[in-house]
Amino acid sequence: MGREHGTLPPLHLAQECGVGEAAVRRAQETLIAQGVLEGRAGSGTYVAEPRERLRMVRSQQRDHTDGSLFRAEMAALGKKGTWESRSEAMVPAPAAIASRLGIPDADYCVRTSYEYLADGKPVLVSTSWEPYSITSGTLAVLLEGGPYAGMGVVRRMAEIGITVSRAEERPEPGHANAEEAALLGIQRGALVTRIQRTYYSEEECPVETAGIVVPAALCEIVYEVPISR
């Protein structure tokens, strides 16, 4: 490792600790994935600068793709919440997405990629898929374009006569791939939580599905559970 903060190259550490160099490298990779260390191309491995973990609240009462809600949550934490997005219409659905939406493989979808930022620093990324057949020919075809831009799925669907009755989320742990790491400013292989979320209409038809990637070092996920009285 580099000599910042008293760090040493893997060979020297291996000799000092009486272990193999491969064991030291595996330990480094683990600490990088946990956000404790960071690698710098052509320089070495260093102790990572600590970043405050942000609370990301998941709730039955929230439309989680509503940008204004994200802005309000960040404001409550004293931060400026912004987001960047890119939509593409008529994108063939991959098999896994088609299965979640209950449509044939390669059916057209509207795909929207999001990057959410707090004070200009990325905190999570998301990719949304909607069947093109649902919004085609309406003013709601693009999530971030037209008169309903930024409203979120629930409100946009209501504008075209579709009532969203429930959402389903499936979180699972994982490791950031190269693209995710580059977008989030974290190390490849760093710990993340992947949330697979799908919205359903009153008729139990999927109207949107999304993959949300939350880096463990940057965010903590909090689920609000309503209590019936």
Side-chain angles (χ1 to χ4, degrees), residues 167-216:
E168 182 179 273
E169 292 196 348
R170 299 182 181 182
E172 63 178 24
H175 297 273
N177 60 33
E179 181 181 4
E180 293 163 348
L183 288 171
L184 291 165
I186 59 177
Q187 294 294 319
R188 180 176 180 176
L191 298 176
V192 298
T193 298
R194 302 182 191 280
I195 301 175
Q196 182 186 111
R197 184 212 57 218
T198 305
Y199 281 113
Y200 294 86
S201 69
E202 286 185 316
E203 294 75 28
E204 281 298 296
C205 293
V207 298
E208 187 262 7
T209 193
I212 304 167
V213 182
V214 184

Side-chain angles (χ1 to χ4, degrees), residues 90-94 98 103-109 129 131-133:
M90 302 182 70
V91 177
I103 60 177
D105 289 2
D107 251 24
Y108 286 143
C109 285
W129 297 80
Y132 185 65
S133 59

Side-chain angles (χ1 to χ4, degrees), residues 86-160:
R86 182 168 62 92
S87 291
E88 300 171 87
M90 302 182 70
V91 177
I97 297 298
S99 176
R100 282 154 56 177
L101 290 172
I103 60 177
D105 289 2
D107 251 24
Y108 286 143
C109 285
V110 177
R111 179 179 64 194
T112 304
S113 301
Y114 289 91
E115 184 176 12
Y116 291 91
L117 306 101
D119 289 344
K121 296 180 179 179
V123 291
L124 64 100
V125 294
S126 173
T127 303
S128 166
W129 297 80
E130 291 183 353
Y132 185 65
S133 59
I134 292 179
T135 56
S136 175
T138 75
L139 295 176
V141 66
L142 297 178
L143 276 73
E144 298 296 329
Y148 310 134
M151 282 188 173
V153 175
V154 175
R155 292 174 60 195
R156 280 180 49 260
M157 290 296 169
E159 293 290 342
I160 59 174

